[in-house]
Structures are given as C-alpha cells and as structure tokens.
C-alpha cells in the first residue's frame, strides 16, 4: 500500500538489534511501521544494516502474545520441546489480575518457604536501562538474593572480568568510530560485517584512508579483504598467538618505558611469563608463521595510534578471560590507551547489553559494578532501597541451571531472555526449565523458554516503549514508542512495578524518567546525566567531565585503587574438549547477518527470515568433498551432548576440520551441541569450541 509522505508520523528512536546503537527514524501510518531510515546519530551517521532497516516487522507479527497465559493443568512440562504444540494446547488465557496474582504468589511462596536463594531471575539486554535496573532491584530487594543475571554471561562476561581486573572498568575505552583515527587496528574474534555491520563501515572507510588492519579469526571473513595482515589462527590458541606478540614487543623493547613506569603495574611478571612464548615456538601451536607474528607485533607497537576490537571469538572460551588479559597487556605496555585512536573495545552484542550490565543485571555486583560483597556499598544500597540485601555473590546463568537440577532453585522470573535456546547443552538447560516449580516468563513471543512457563506475561516490543539504551560506545540514547501494543499486552516496566508491588515492594514509579533519576542518583557513571538531557540530546556519552562527554577514557590513569593498569600474565589453557577419533572436528557457533541471537525477533520478521530461512551447518568445500558429503544435503551434527539435523552449506571461510552452526534456528538448535564448561573468572561457557562429528542424513 502506498502511503503519502505527509501522512506518515515519524518517530526518532534507536535500532532494537545490535550494540552499535544506530539511531533511527521510524515512519508510522495507521499505527503500523511502514519504513525505518537511519538518522544522523553519533554511531551511524544515517547508516543502517539489513536488520535495522528491514527487520522492524517482527513487532507487528501475528505471532505476538496478546493475552496473559496460565499453564493448563493437562499440559505437563516436558524437557523435550514439542514446537508443533499450539499455544492453546499448553496454556489457557487469563485476566491480567489472575495472571499477575498467580505469577507473584508462586514466587513469594517459594521465597517464604525456602528463602530468596531458591529464586533466580534472568533479565534482558534487549530491554531499557530502566527495566534492567528495576528487574535486578526486584530480585535483590524483593526476593533477597543476588541470583540475577542476563545474556552478558554468554557474550562478554570474560571481557568484563579481565577489564575490571586490569583497568578498573568494564566499558570500552574509546568508540568504534576511533578506528578512523588509528594507524593500526586489530580486530580479533569478531566478524564486524556480520555482527556489527555499521561499525564495519567505519572500519572499511578507515582502511581505505590508510589505517592498517590486522584481522585475527579462525574463520576467513570479509574484513580480511581490507587487511594488511590476516591471521587465520587455529581455534582456541589465542593466548599462544597473543603472548608471542607480547614476547616480540618485550624482546625488541618496543614497549613504552615511561608510560609503564607511570601507569602500569606487574610488568616484570608479564615479561617473565611471555619469555617462554617465542613466535618460533608458538607458530606451530597457533598456525601463524613466526615472521608474521613478529611483523604484526611491530606494527601494533610502533604505530602512533593503535586500537583493539574484539568479539565473542575471544570471550566465549574457558580461557576467555586469559585471552582478554593478553589484549589488555598489549595496550598497556605500548601505551595504546587513553588517547583518540587507541584503546580497548569489546564490541557488545545486544542493543543494551552495556546498559543492562551497568544497571546491575549481574550476580556479583550492584549497579556500576560495585561488588555485593563490599559491606559499605551494600549499606548504601540497603539505605536507598530500604531492604536488607544478600551479602553473597549470586549464581550466574549456567550455575543457575545447575542449581535447578540440584533442587536448590525452584522458582524463576525470566524477562525477555530465551535460555531454552541461548544456554549451552540445551538438553540439560531445558531439563532444568521443565523441573522448575514456578516459572514466570515475560516476553513478546511464545519463545522456546515461554513454552516451559507456568505464567506468560505478554509484554512490549522495542518499538512500543520509552526508555534509554546504552550502546557499545557508552552512549546513552533515547528509544521512543512508535506503535501501540497489540491486544492486552502491557509495558515491561509496568509489569515489573505491578509484580514488585504484589511481592511486597513499596513502588510507585510514575514512569521510566523516575526510574532513571533513581539510577543516576546511585550510579557515579551517570553523574550529571538526566533523563531530560538524554531526551533533548538523544545521545549522551558517559562519563561526563563537567559538561564534556568523555568519548575516550583512561587519559588520566585508571579507575583502580592505585590508578594503575594491572598486567595479569596468561598461560596457555587448552579448550575443554579437544577433537579425538570419535569426534574429530571442531564445532564453533555464532550469528548470521540476517538473524540476531536466538532468532526470537528476527525469525518472525518476514524479510529477514526470507533471506536466511533454513537451519544450516557450514563446512569448507574441500572438507565436504573429502568426507563424501554434498552441499545442500541434510547432515547430522553430533557432539557428546546432543544431535541436530541441518542443511550442509559449503563455505570457504570455514577452516578444514571445523563445522560452523549458527544458534538462531529452533529447528536445529546449535546449543544442543555446545559445551557448558565455564571460564573460571567470567563464568562464560565455551560456545566457540567443542569436539563434533558430521555425517550424512537426518537424526536417527
Ligand atoms: Fe541495528 Fe546494529 Fe544494524 Fe545498526 S548495525 S542497524 S544497530 S543491527
């Protein structure tokens, strides 16, 4: 249908998908989105990728939840998900009052019988800052437990743990646009053209203008076309490769002596550790020629301005924190931090994963990463929230799943997360969800997780809500409602407040602005930033220094106790499960350009699903031929934990000996296969490496 331009209402908002945080103009006619354009935001300058431009229709999908649902008595929970079951076979519709009462009563009964530790909550990085803040406050103050986490545990928890330890802050030190100010850029474990496409446009423009790129990835990728050095290293050998570079910088004295003396501690310990990692010895380990390792180390260290970007290829390993420690060491010993065009930037996945983490949606910290174990800090939050708080760290995502199996956690509140797709070892994770005595799921679709729920609360899509969202660059941006909610669906924030009150909280927030004001009063990172300021300016980068938004931080030391960055030497730790004669291949998982995370939002988008409609597993064409398989056929991918069937795709990017499976297809959930072993520091599972085998045909 053609709609006259002057009949369109245009709403200024932000993209609901990735952490780049592109600003959008949403055109609406008759309560429906008809077009999304890019706006001149600081992180996109009018650009959008295919998801941001065409993926908006998910919000108007006929599959949206429109009525509160209560599980039918004759629909027992089963760990084996039957996706063919219609909603009416699992649930009956309920009034809001009945559903909210049932949701609250189940949680309160478990809390009162077994204590707060028997409850856990998964909040969402897709919701606003205000929703994330209230969610963690409800779990902490309402239920008396720190068992609250979200998908950051599955993407950058190891990055945050290494950054907090090394430089005292889990946020990026400079925006991704600073690639254009750099002389050398290292991108490692990240596929920006797929996962952060608009950030990739800045990278490509920088390369065109002469910035030298080093792309490190076990799979080939498009950015390698723009690179000075392309390092297709062996999966799981990041520390060998990075320590070899550190070895060269130390051996050839390419480090910044004065910067280290003034700003860095533990240099001698690092020197001693990397002495054993010569490029010649590490070359066969990581698969990169020693001369290439030396050349990259020299380029990074001797460039005037060098910056490092990384993604989940670095973080999703049992040695994810060690990988990040090596990257931090590279930046610290060369003084490539605290100036424009230098720094450390973990490219964040979801549109508000930075903000949700800042807001305290993690089990070990209150808002702004204040440890829950710190008695003074706890007293400050107890005063502010008027409730005694749990002095112990809570459990993380995978630990919560294990605690359900152990009978220690019996009730859960899940807002906008989909652990039945996103958690490793799905049979184990789904078995836990089926075992819960009481599960409340608040979402916009009947996700795989919602199918296990006792109560389902239909909530608001991004295009329907008002709130702030913080992108990968630390830019707090305003998301605005463009269309009405379908049926009886309610705002997430309203549901949180309602549930909070029914669980005993004395809450009378009038809306997100009031919640933001409370956050800002408790979070030093937001000092000087008001709701009105974000509303007026649309994007405010924290922290403020007087009136100045600090796009680059660490220019005057680090926010650590001694103001110094700390080097933490890393050892070579092998992946948890190596290939063997039974499972000879390496399975790695990730995302596709057209689909986002578990696919909960992009699979219902007609445009995006038409572009990538089919569950697939990708292997190198040579490997396919050697195995006697053919591209396009059905194959079974198997690990020690599970089995899926997918269409085999020939992909030259995938190295020999590897199989890549995206985790967005419920028909062939990659996480049926993945290994739940955790990085001991960040508690992130090893999604990027496990032993697998591939055979012709479907699951028997
Ligand atoms: Fe949205 Fe990310 Fe694409 Fe920008 S790059 S349009 S934020 S998905």
């Amino acid at each position: 249908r053609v709609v006259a331009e002057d009949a369109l209402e245009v709403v200024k908002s932000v993209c609901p998908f990735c952490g780049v945080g592109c600003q959008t103009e949403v055109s609406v006619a008759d309560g429906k989105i008809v077009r999304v354009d890019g706006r001149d935001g600081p992180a996109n300058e009018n650009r959008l990728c295919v998801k941001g431009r065409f993926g908006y229709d998910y919000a108007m999908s006929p599959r949206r939840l429109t009525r509160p649902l209560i599980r039918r008595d004759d629909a027992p929970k089963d760990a084996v998900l039957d996706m063919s079951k219609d909603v009416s076979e699992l649930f009956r519709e309920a009034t809001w009052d009945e559903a909210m009462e049932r949701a609250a009563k189940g949680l309160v009964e478990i809390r009162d019988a077994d204590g707060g530790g028997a409850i856990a909550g998964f909040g969402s990085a897709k919701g606003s800052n205000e929703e994330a803040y209230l969610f963690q406050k409800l779990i902490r103050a309402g239920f008396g437990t720190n068992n609250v986490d979200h998908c950051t545990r599955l993407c950058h928890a190891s990055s945050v743990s290494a950054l907090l330890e090394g430089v005292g802050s889990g946020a990026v030190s400079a925006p991704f646009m600073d690639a254009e100010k750099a002389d050398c850029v290292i991108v490692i474990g990240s596929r920006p053209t797929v996962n952060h496409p608009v950030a990739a446009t800045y990278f490509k423009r920088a390369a065109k203008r002469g910035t030298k790129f080093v792309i490190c990835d076990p799979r080939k990728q498009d950015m390698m076309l723009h690179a000075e050095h392309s390092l297709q290293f062996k999966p799981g050998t990041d520390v060998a490769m990075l320590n070899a570079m550190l070895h060269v910088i130390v051996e050839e004295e390419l480090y910044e002596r004065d910067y280290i003396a003034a700003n860095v501690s533990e240099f001698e310990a690092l020197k001693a550790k990397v002495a054993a990692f010569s490029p010649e010895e590490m070359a066969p380990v990581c698969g990169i020629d020693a001369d290439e390792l030396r050349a990259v180390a020299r380029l990074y260290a001797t460039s005037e301005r060098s910056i490092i970007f990384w993604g989940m290829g670095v973080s999703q390993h049992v040695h994810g924190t060690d990988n990040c420690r090596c990257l931090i060491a590279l930046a610290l010993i060369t003084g490539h931090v605290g100036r424009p065009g230098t720094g450390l930037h973990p490219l964040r996945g979801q549109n508000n994963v930075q903000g949700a983490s800042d807001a305290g949606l993690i089990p070990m910290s209150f808002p702004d990463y204040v440890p829950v174990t710190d008695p003074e800090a706890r007293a400050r939050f107890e005063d502010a929230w008027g409730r005694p708080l749990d002095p112990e760290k809570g459990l993380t995502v995978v630990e919560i799943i294990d605690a359900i199996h152990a009978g220690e956690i019996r009730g859960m509140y899940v807002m906008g997360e989909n652990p039945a797709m996103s958690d490793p070892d799905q049979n184990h994770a789904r078995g836990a969800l089926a075992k819960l005595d009481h599960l409340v799921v608040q979402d916009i679709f009947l996700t795989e997780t919602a199918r296990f729920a006792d109560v389902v609360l239909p909530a608001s899509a991004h295009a329907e809500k008002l709130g702030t969202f913080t992108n990968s660059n630390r830019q707090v941006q305003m998301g605005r409602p463009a269309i009405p909610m379908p049926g009886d669906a309610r705002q997430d924030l309203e549901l949180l407040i309602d549930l909070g009150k029914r669980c005993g909280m004395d809450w009378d927030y009038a809306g997100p602005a009031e919640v933001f004001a409370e956050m800002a009063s408790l979070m030093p990172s937001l000092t000087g930033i008001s709701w009105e300021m974000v509303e007026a300016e649309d994007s405010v980068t924290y922290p403020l220094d007087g009136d100045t938004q600090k796009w680059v931080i660490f220019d005057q030391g680090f926010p650590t106790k001694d103001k110094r960055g700390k080097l933490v030497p890393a050892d070579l730790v092998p992946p948890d499960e190596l290939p063997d004669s039974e499972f000879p291949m390496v399975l790695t998982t990730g995302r596709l350009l057209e689909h986002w995370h578990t696919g909960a939002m992009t699979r219902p988008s007609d445009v995006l699903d038409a572009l990538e409609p089919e569950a697939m597993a990708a292997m190198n064409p040579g490997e396919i031929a050697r195995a006697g398989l053919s591209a396009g056929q059905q194959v079974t991918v198997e690990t020690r934990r599970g089995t899926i069937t997918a269409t085999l795709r020939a992909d030259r990017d995938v190295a020999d000996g590897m199989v890549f499976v995206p985790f967005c297809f419920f028909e062939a959930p990659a996480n049926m296969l993945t290994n739940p072993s955790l990085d001991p520091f960040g508690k992130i599972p090893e999604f990027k490496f496990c032993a697998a085998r591939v055979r012709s045909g479907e699951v028997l």
Side-chain angles (χ1 to χ4, degrees):
R1 175 168 90 86
V2 178
V3 181
E5 284 291 314
D6 58 5
L8 295 176
E9 183 198 348
V10 177
V11 178
K12 292 179 174 181
S13 194
V14 289
C15 176
F17 296 109
C18 89
V20 169
C22 296
Q23 290 193 358
T24 55
E25 268 185 4
V26 183
S27 295
V28 178
D30 299 334
K32 300 224 174 307
I33 301 173
V34 296
R35 195 173 75 212
V36 175
D37 295 297
R39 212 158 35 106
D40 193 14
N44 65 316
E45 295 171 276
N46 302 309
R47 286 165 260 190
L48 292 178
C49 78
V50 65
K51 288 190 285 290
R53 192 174 294 283
F54 299 113
Y56 58 82
D57 56 335
Y58 79 89
M60 301 172 295
S61 164
R63 289 190 244 165
R64 282 288 300 275
L65 291 168
T66 58
R67 307 264 181 271
L69 302 171
I70 289 180
R71 191 165 205 91
R72 290 169 58 123
D73 294 336
D74 59 353
K77 297 178 193 175
D78 190 336
V80 180
L81 254 188
D82 181 356
M83 294 296 285
S84 67
K85 275 204 172 134
D86 186 69
V87 59
S88 61
E89 294 176 71
L90 299 171
F91 301 99
R92 65 173 173 83
E93 291 186 358
T95 64
W96 267 115
D97 193 49
E98 185 191 8
M100 293 305 289
E101 214 32 56
R102 179 77 76 98
K105 189 165 172 267
L107 294 171
V108 167
E109 279 177 359
I110 292 170
R111 176 194 68 189
D112 294 348
D114 292 1
I119 299 283
F122 289 167
S124 177
K126 299 188 283 284
S128 67
N129 286 322
E130 297 74 32
E131 290 161 3
Y133 172 82
L134 265 202
F135 188 91
Q136 61 87 39
K137 181 174 172 181
L138 173 60
I139 300 295
R140 293 199 153 101
F143 296 105
T145 175
N146 291 314
N147 292 338
V148 60
D149 210 352
H150 77 296
C151 68
T152 193
R153 192 66 41 212
L154 308 176
C155 61
H156 267 305
S158 47
S159 307
V160 172
S161 104
L163 286 166
L164 286 172
E165 166 193 79
V167 295
S169 163
V172 301
S173 74
F176 58 76
M177 298 86 82
D178 266 26
E180 295 198 278
K181 296 178 183 155
D183 303 294
C184 168
V185 174
I186 293 182
V187 179
I188 176 167
S190 163
R191 300 169 74 80
T193 54
V194 171
N195 298 322
H196 301 90
V198 168
T201 65
Y202 287 87
F203 294 174
K204 287 187 254 184
R205 193 164 71 179
K208 221 175 218 174
R209 290 175 179 171
T211 301
K212 293 190 165 63
F213 274 72
V214 178
I215 308 293
C216 314
D217 190 343
R219 284 190 288 154
K220 281 192 199 135
Q221 57 161 288
D222 291 351
M223 276 306 298
M224 287 178 175
L225 297 171
H226 307 269
E228 186 85 0
H229 296 276
S230 297
L231 310 189
Q232 197 180 358
F233 64 102
K234 292 183 190 171
T237 64
D238 315 56
V239 169
M241 182 177 70
L242 297 169
N243 268 357
M245 294 181 197
L246 288 163
H247 175 102
V248 174
I249 294 169
V250 170
E251 183 188 50
E252 300 184 7
E253 299 192 9
L254 304 175
Y255 49 85
E256 277 295 317
R257 210 176 290 273
D258 293 346
Y259 183 84
I260 293 170
N263 297 291
V264 180
S265 61
E266 305 295 336
F267 183 51
E268 291 307 316
L270 182 85
K271 263 169 101 172
K273 174 61 70 185
V274 301
F277 286 79
S278 75
E280 288 68 27
E281 279 178 81
M282 290 304 111
V285 178
C286 66
I288 303 297
D289 186 74
D291 289 343
E292 184 90 341
L293 291 169
R294 285 187 183 276
V296 169
R298 288 173 191 143
L299 173 66
Y300 174 80
T302 60
S303 293
E304 177 62 26
R305 294 162 190 266
S306 294
I307 186 166
I308 304 174
F309 297 94
W310 71 94
M312 292 185 247
V314 164
S315 57
Q316 289 178 332
H317 286 282
V318 290
H319 47 81
T321 301
D322 283 334
N323 294 346
C324 300
R325 286 168 171 159
C326 294
L327 298 176
I328 293 166
L330 279 169
L332 289 181
I333 67 169
T334 53
H336 283 321
V337 71
R339 293 173 289 128
T342 69
L344 294 158
H345 188 125
L347 285 155
R348 308 307 300 252
Q350 304 215 14
N351 67 336
N352 197 37
V353 69
Q354 182 65 54
S357 304
D358 295 346
L361 216 49
I362 41 182
M364 52 290 287
S365 326
F366 295 124
D368 254 358
Y369 309 95
V370 176
V372 295
T373 48
D374 176 341
E376 258 179 55
R378 199 167 55 252
R380 184 162 68 87
F381 281 96
E382 284 176 338
D383 271 358
W385 294 344
R387 292 288 180 112
L389 298 172
D390 183 2
E392 303 291 333
K393 287 180 191 173
L395 299 175
T396 58
V397 166
V398 174
E399 291 171 332
I400 286 169
I401 295 295
D402 291 342
I404 297 169
H405 276 293
E408 290 157 13
I409 289 179
R410 297 203 292 117
M412 271 194 86
Y413 178 22
V414 177
M415 177 183 77
E417 289 255 305
N418 194 8
M421 280 290 285
S422 60
D423 285 16
D425 191 3
Q426 290 284 270
N427 287 318
H428 183 68
R430 292 177 181 184
L433 295 173
K435 204 174 168 195
L436 282 166
D437 290 333
H438 189 63
L439 173 61
V440 179
V441 174
Q442 182 173 316
D443 214 309
I444 61 172
F445 293 112
L446 192 69
T447 60
E448 292 74 14
T449 302
R451 287 175 173 266
F452 293 99
D454 295 274
V455 184
V456 180
L457 309 176
S460 45
H462 181 275
E464 297 152 4
K465 64 175 78 171
L466 178 65
T468 63
F469 297 81
T470 307
N471 72 358
S472 197
N473 290 338
R474 292 181 271 108
Q475 287 158 338
V476 185
Q477 310 199 98
M478 190 60 79
R480 297 186 178 85
I483 53 173
M485 288 176 290
D488 292 344
R490 289 171 72 188
Q491 290 289 334
D492 286 275
L493 202 72
E494 200 183 305
L495 291 173
L496 277 163
I497 295 168
D498 189 346
L499 194 68
K501 282 183 183 163
R502 290 174 196 257
C503 294
M505 302 303 290
D506 176 21
W507 284 357
D508 60 355
Y509 299 103
E514 254 181 53
V515 180
F516 186 90
E518 181 176 313
M519 289 170 63
S521 73
L522 289 165
M523 296 170 61
S525 64
L526 297 179
T527 299
I529 301 178
S530 66
W531 175 270
E532 292 72 24
M533 185 188 293
V534 182
E535 209 169 31
E537 299 190 20
D538 259 1
S539 177
V540 179
T541 305
Y542 76 78
L544 292 186
D545 183 6
D547 290 338
T548 308
Q549 299 176 27
K550 293 207 63 158
W551 287 32
V552 175
I553 55 175
F554 308 149
D555 51 336
Q556 288 155 12
F558 298 95
T560 52
K561 276 195 181 127
D562 59 3
K563 304 274 177 252
R564 285 172 170 266
K566 182 179 168 194
L567 297 167
V568 182
D571 251 324
L572 192 53
V573 175
D576 180 70
E577 186 185 67
L578 293 167
D580 54 22
S581 55
E582 215 185 333
F583 293 94
M585 301 188 76
V586 173
L587 168 79
T588 193
T589 66
R591 289 163 286 176
L592 298 174
L593 169 63
E594 295 80 3
H595 285 304
W596 194 63
H597 297 263
T598 67
M601 283 158 63
T602 51
R603 296 299 308 282
S605 161
D606 289 343
V607 177
L608 297 176
D609 206 46
L611 290 168
E612 274 290 359
E614 192 175 45
M616 65 90 163
M619 285 167 58
N620 188 282
E623 183 86 40
I624 291 175
R626 277 191 296 281
L629 301 168
S630 312
Q633 75 163 107
Q634 293 293 290
V635 289
T636 294
V637 186
E638 220 172 332
T639 68
R640 291 193 167 83
R641 290 154 294 281
T643 308
I644 61 165
T645 297
T647 303
L648 185 60
R649 183 176 291 181
D651 185 346
R652 286 192 173 78
D653 288 355
V654 182
D656 281 344
M658 281 181 97
V659 54
F660 166 73
V661 181
F663 62 93
C664 55
F665 294 105
F666 67 84
E667 304 91 332
N671 284 321
M672 278 287 171
L673 310 171
T674 47
N675 184 352
S677 291
L678 301 179
D679 170 281
F681 308 98
K683 305 284 177 79
I684 189 169
E686 190 152 61
F687 289 120
K688 286 289 185 274
F689 196 114
C690 71
R693 64 185 172 213
V694 179
R695 63 172 169 78
S696 178
E698 301 189 357
V699 175
L700 300 173

